[in-house]
Amino acid sequence: VTRELRAAGPLTDFLLQGVAANNALAIASFGLFFALAQKATGANGGLPWLLGRGLGDIVLSLTLGLFTGLLLDLCAHHLRDRGEMLTAGLALLLLCGETARLFGLSPLLAGMAAGFAVVNRDRRDVRLFRAINAFEPPITVLFFILAGTHLDREMLLLAGWLGVGYFLLRGAGKVGGIWLGGRLGGAPPVVQRYLGLALLPQAGVAIGLVVLLQGEAPELAAVVTPVVLTGVFLAELIGPVLTRQAIVRAGETADALIPHRGPSSQPISIPPWRWPRLTPPARQRGTVVFGASLSDTVTGLARIATLLAHFHRARPLAVRVVAPECMDPSCAVEPDLFEREKAEVESLGYALTTAVIHADDVADALVATARQAEARAIVLGDTGEESSAAFEKIIGAVVRTAPCPVVVVRFCGELHTERLLVPVIRSADLEVVAGVLRALATVGRHRITLLRLLPAEVADEGISGAEDRLRNWARRQGLGAFVYARAVATAARLEAVLDEAREHDCLVLAAPRTQGVQRLFFGSLALDVVRSCARPALVVYAGGEG
């Protein structure tokens, strides 16, 4: 659940550490109470001898696990290939478990001790565990299947109510114990309130102990198994839901850190221009065309278009497309729409040119106007609302036929451009966004982070080489003073971009011009990012003819 939610915070920290401590104490106490149960059922040997044997098994299990953990750390330190690490890691862990079983020790406790040894080493290399994580789902399913094969239907019916009572009392102990322990230990209020609910799931260790009990004491297992598995069944139906709710209410999900876009997105806001006014060139050539249809976005579009026009030594041109039967522009759009755009452009030091086009097809009208006006770029705006399917269709049509780059401004919250994040998959992406980055860097104080997304298996040398290439490209573009180059090796590009976006105001993304079936198969990271990240974004499409 914590991995799915990408949870982080005090409750999550207490939860993961609490689960580990709870499991270790459960396994250790199982050995002691198993000795008491053996004595109660008439096993040979006195109680001190049985308890001593239980404590000895615990110590030997921990020793075996710690030794295995040191070997795992040694392998992880000397192996580089993911396949080799996975093979060696699984071999050592299986050998540890089978050795523990052979000598009558606890494979579960030995496994936990191995993990403890690795993560508490000073150099802490957990790549091996990340590789093994891929095996977790099928092993968990096999765990349940193996436990289910030992269930007797008649015994399950007899022990059903006992299992329900066990589940309810266990839950009361978790919630009450966490509240009391949190109060006595001075834990944060969010931990006192929600940690008990988050600890209600029960599966791995409980099932593992039941399976072990089958081989050690079948007569005890016949009674214990149906009770425990009834509790596990109820805990796995209800527990994960409660864990998810506890983390969500504590505000520790990734959604709480970076809200996703959607109908509840932040209101659009365009802060006033606070940099010095721009000085238009004496001779302007060409235009930067931007569409005007929504009062919420025209100010932001006017600003971006003016900055691009300043870079290209062109003039900003606002275009409104209205139906042919509506000869009065005010009948189709707000009458003061051009006034807002003019005010914004004038605040930057430029004069705005406007045009009203009567046409049925918005995309065709914009592209035709761009050709006639020698456009250096076309700027369009989108609020990211669910009703923008028609707008997406317009964008696709414009991108396919535009003679110049197309910049789509995705609005969300305040439009700031001081801290820009530029995710890069391939070198061609840099050439697509180069003009936009240079246009923004020529005004104000900007910091641009070039984030090169590399495959997860790339070594450190490949990462440093990619960063050097980013810096060299920035120097050739005259952006060296503004750019911070960073390369990451990641198995999930979208998550890597969302994590980095927390520290930035706006994203600049190169989008492929693919459409239809080609986009269906290959997708678009740029579109995935703007749909998932509550940050403004400039999505740049290369021109079809330029």
Side-chain angles (χ1 to χ4, degrees), residues 50-197:
L50 290 173
L51 290 176
R53 193 186 75 171
L55 289 173
D57 289 346
I58 292 172
V59 173
L60 290 175
S61 299
L62 292 174
T63 303
L64 176 62
L66 292 173
F67 178 72
T68 303
L70 295 178
L71 290 179
L72 287 169
D73 180 74
L74 186 65
C75 287
H77 185 63
H78 285 89
L79 297 178
R80 291 290 180 268
D81 182 73
R82 182 184 179 92
E84 293 176 351
M85 293 176 62
L86 181 59
T87 303
L90 283 176
L92 287 172
L93 289 174
L94 292 173
L95 181 61
C96 173
E98 185 61 16
T99 302
R101 190 197 64 80
L102 183 64
F103 289 99
L105 305 177
S106 171
L108 298 178
L109 196 56
M112 291 196 65
F116 173 85
V118 172
V119 299
N120 285 281
R121 294 277 289 175
D122 191 52
R123 61 191 180 196
R124 187 188 173 96
D125 190 338
V126 296
R127 291 175 297 168
L128 173 63
F129 291 151
R130 291 178 179 173
I132 293 176
N133 269 344
F135 284 78
E136 183 180 349
I139 290 176
T140 303
V141 173
L142 290 175
F143 232 33
F144 277 92
I145 293 174
L146 186 58
T149 60
H150 298 286
L151 272 179
D152 181 81
R153 184 182 62 178
E154 294 181 0
M155 184 62 72
L156 181 61
L157 293 175
L158 291 174
W161 287 109
L162 188 59
V164 173
Y166 158 70
F167 166 74
L168 294 176
L169 290 175
R170 175 181 175 272
K174 293 280 187 183
V175 176
I178 289 296
W179 176 83
L180 179 60
R183 291 288 295 269
L184 296 177
V190 69
V191 173
Q192 299 179 32
R193 189 177 303 118
Y194 296 120
L195 183 57
L197 291 175

